[in-house]
Every structure is written in structure tokens, then in C-alpha cells.
């Protein structure tokens, strides 16, 4: 009897392992229905919860995978060809920017049957036509000297070389006015990097996004890539240095910022989370319950 019971137990274990394997294979996805599993980039979000309140059903959820590992989460607008936001965990870094990584695209935006990993753009630009309906391609940024490719999850907020490489997907990029990108935006990202490096003691979750009312990059007489009017960002770090000076401490556990993506009047304005949400509600297609972080980054305990 014991042998039979043992055999049953082994069989049951085998069945569970097979089912688990099948379930895991089912979520090895780039484009996902939700971020509810570790393999679907759940760990990039505070309490595994993305911002709520977006009204559009047209956005695509991307678990940004590189080298078979989930790196960060992005919600993407396949019509305007820009990310609406990217959500990532900040890694302590020296702020060094790598520039030798190839730019990549998301195969599953073009076809569900494609690879679940981001892939470098093919050398042949004629191949880009296969997926330019669903996302931006390198040609869209080729002849627009007034714009820079602004990363929502910036290379400088990552430490591991593969995490850094994964930020070079065009699905993580929006057109930023050159003066804004190289000035206030770069300065703000460095301020946040130093603040989280020095005062965040646990995991820091960052969400960076856009408002989409603005100009559009055109190519071949077609609207190709939306240019955001405003950029915004917020971080959540519930374990922080309680002995930090007050001018830093009041910006924990959560704080936000926004800035005008323009040549002038483009300084980044730091504000409490609720102020940021109120500002964005008037400029985005969201409902009255729009919320960037679960429970406003207040721990349940």
C-alpha cells in the first residue's frame, strides 16, 4: 500500500510539474494580457499593481524581456507608436550611460507568434516594413534633428549590463525636444538616481510616463510617432533613511515630477504624488480613480 501511495504521490508531483511547466510556458510572453505573474514583469511594479484608471482599451501591455528574462513593464500605444509609461525597479548605479547597445523592437506587437524577447532591428530597413504598423522604427527618428530618443526606463537607472541593454527598445522611447532631453530631463534623472542611491534602503519602484497631446513626427506624409506634451515620473520607496535631512526625507516614501517637453519653460517640477495625479487627470484620458501606485505607496502594515 505504501508503495502505491508513494507512486501516486510521485505521479501527482509529476502532473503538477508538467502543469506548472505548461503554465509558465504560457506566460513567456512579450505582449501580455496583464502583469499578474513574475514572468509577466509583475516584480517591476509596487505590490505587483500597475497604474489604474486609463480609459483606452487600445493600449498593449508589454513585459519587456531581454535574453529570456523579464526586465520591466511597459504600456504601449500601437496607434501613436509610443509608450504610455514604463515601470521598473531602480538599481543603484554610477549613472554611466552605455551607448554601444543596438536599438531593438518588440516582435510580438507585430505578431503573437513571434519571439517573446525584444530583438535588434534587422540590418535591412526593408524588413522594418513588417512591423512599422504597430510600433516606431529607426527611420522615424532618422531625420528629426530637433528630437532625441528619451528613455522612460533610463539606462542610467540600471546597473546590470543586460538590464541596461534592455532599455534600448524603441518601445521604451518617446521623442523629446533636444533642449529638454539634454537639460531638465537629464538633470532630473540624475537627481533621482543620486537620491535613491543615497537614501532608499529597500527596493525603489519607478513609473515614468507621458501625456500624449502634442505634435507628431511624420514620415512619407504619414503620422508616425506622437510627441508628448508633458513627461512625468514618480518613485515609491517604502524603506528609506529615516535620518535623512528633512529637505530629502519629506520626499519619501513617494514623490513625483512633471515637465513640459519643449525648448523653453521646460523645467521639471517636483510635486507630491496626489498633486501629480491631479495635474495628469486634466491632461490624460483617465478616470477619476486614476492612481499611479497601489495604495499611494503606503505599506499595508
Amino acid at each position: 500500500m505504501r508503495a502505491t501511495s508513494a507512486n501516486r504521490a510521485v505521479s501527482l508531483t509529476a502532473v503538477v510539474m508538467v502543469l506548472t511547466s505548461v503554465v509558465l510556458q504560457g506566460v513567456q510572453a512579450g505582449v501580455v494580457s496583464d502583469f499578474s505573474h513574475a514572468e509577466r514583469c509583475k516584480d517591476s511594479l509596487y505590490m505587483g499593481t500597475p497604474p489604474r484608471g486609463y480609459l483606452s482599451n487600445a493600449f498593449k501591455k508589454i513585459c519587456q524581456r531581454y535574453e529570456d528574462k523579464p526586465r520591466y513593464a511597459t504600456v504601449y500605444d500601437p496607434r501613436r507608436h509610443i509608450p504610455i509609461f514604463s515601470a521598473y525597479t531602480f538599481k543603484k548605479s554610477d549613472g554611466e550611460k552605455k551607448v554601444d547597445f543596438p536599438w531593438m523592437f518588440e516582435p510580438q506587437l507585430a505578431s503573437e507568434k513571434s519571439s517573446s524577447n525584444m530583438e535588434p532591428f534587422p540590418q535591412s530597413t526593408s524588413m522594418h516594413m513588417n512591423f512599422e504598423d504597430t510600433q516606431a522604427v529607426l527611420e522615424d527618428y532618422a531625420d528629426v534633428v530637433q528630437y532625441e530618443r528619451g528613455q522612460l526606463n533610463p539606462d542610467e537607472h540600471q546597473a546590470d549590463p543586460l538590464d541596461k541593454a534592455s532599455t534600448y527598445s524603441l518601445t521604451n522611447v518617446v521623442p523629446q525636444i533636444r533642449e529638454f532631453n539634454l537639460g531638465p530631463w537629464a538633470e532630473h534623472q540624475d537627481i533621482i538616481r543620486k537620491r535613491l542611491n543615497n537614501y532608499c534602503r529597500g527596493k525603489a519602484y519607478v513609473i515614468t510616463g507621458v501625456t500624449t497631446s502634442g505634435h507628431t513626427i511624420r514620415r512619407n506624409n504619414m503620422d508616425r510617432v506622437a510627441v508628448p506634451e508633458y513627461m512625468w515620473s514618480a518613485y515609491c520607496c517604502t524603506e528609506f533613511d529615516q535620518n535623512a535631512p528633512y529637505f530629502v526625507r519629506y520626499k519619501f516614501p513617494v514623490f513625483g515630477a512633471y515637465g513640459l517637453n519643449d525648448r523653453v519653460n521646460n523645467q521639471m517640477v517636483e510635486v507630491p504624488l496626489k498633486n501629480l495625479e491631479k495635474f495628469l487627470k486634466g491632461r490624460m484620458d483617465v478616470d477619476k480613480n486614476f492612481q499611479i501606485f497601489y495604495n499611494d505607496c503606503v505599506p499595508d502594515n
Side-chain angles (χ1 to χ4, degrees), residues 30-32 35 60-64 72-74 76 106 109 171:
V31 176
V32 296
F35 300 118
K60 299 288 187 181
K61 299 178 180 71
I62 304 174
C63 176
Q64 300 276 19
Y72 57 99
T74 296
Y76 193 79
E106 174 51 59
L109 280 175
T171 57

Side-chain angles (χ1 to χ4, degrees), residues 56-213:
S56 175
N57 294 319
F59 298 156
K60 299 288 187 181
K61 299 178 180 71
I62 304 174
C63 176
Q64 300 276 19
R65 294 176 62 84
Y66 182 66
E67 300 278 325
D68 291 320
K69 184 181 172 187
R71 305 287 170 175
Y72 57 99
T74 296
V75 167
Y76 193 79
D77 186 337
R79 188 170 65 83
R80 293 186 174 99
H81 300 155
I82 57 168
I84 298 303
F85 67 79
S86 282
Y88 61 95
T89 53
F90 171 86
K91 316 295 191 311
K92 281 188 164 58
S93 77
D94 57 10
E96 188 179 342
K97 189 176 181 72
K98 296 281 192 288
V99 290
D100 53 350
F101 294 124
W103 284 100
M104 292 179 276
F105 72 103
E106 174 51 59
Q108 289 201 342
L109 280 175
S111 169
E112 293 177 5
K113 298 181 178 67
S114 298
S115 165
S116 62
N117 285 297
M118 60 180 74
E119 294 180 356
F121 279 95
Q123 291 293 317
S124 167
T125 55
S126 62
M127 293 281 290
H128 299 180
M129 292 170 62
N130 297 337
F131 41 80
E132 69 177 5
D133 284 350
T134 56
Q135 58 198 295
V137 294
L138 293 173
E139 291 83 347
D140 294 324
Y141 287 91
D143 297 316
V144 284
V145 293
Q146 69 269 44
Y147 297 114
E148 295 286 331
R149 301 171 206 184
Q151 295 171 308
L152 301 194
N153 173 7
D155 171 352
E156 300 93 323
H157 283 191
Q158 302 299 327
D160 178 85
L162 296 183
D163 284 340
K164 281 179 166 291
S166 75
T167 67
Y168 286 85
S169 168
L170 281 193
T171 57
N172 178 50
V173 160
V174 297
Q176 289 184 334
I177 296 288
R178 183 175 174 81
E179 290 86 344
F180 174 71
N181 173 275
L182 300 176
W185 184 249
E187 291 161 15
H188 176 74
Q189 288 185 325
D190 201 49
I191 287 168
I192 299 306
R193 181 186 66 82
K194 289 173 180 172
R195 185 181 301 162
L196 296 177
N197 266 353
N198 294 332
Y199 300 107
C200 182
R201 296 291 177 258
K203 189 176 278 191
Y205 299 87
V206 185
I207 298 179
T208 298
V210 303
T211 69
T212 52
S213 55

Side-chain angles (χ1 to χ4, degrees), residues 157 180 184-196 199 206 230-236 246-260 266-277 279:
H157 283 191
F180 174 71
W185 184 249
E187 291 161 15
H188 176 74
Q189 288 185 325
D190 201 49
I191 287 168
I192 299 306
R193 181 186 66 82
K194 289 173 180 172
R195 185 181 301 162
L196 296 177
Y199 300 107
V206 185
Y230 283 92
M231 303 293 305
W232 61 269
S233 187
Y235 61 81
C236 165
Y246 176 75
F247 70 88
V248 173
R249 196 169 69 246
Y250 84 89
K251 293 178 179 174
F252 282 94
V254 62
F255 221 64
Y258 63 87
L260 183 67
N266 56 9
Q267 65 277 11
M268 291 294 289
V269 181
E270 284 204 73
V271 289
L273 183 68
K274 283 297 174 196
N275 296 40
L276 175 61
E277 289 173 346
F279 176 83

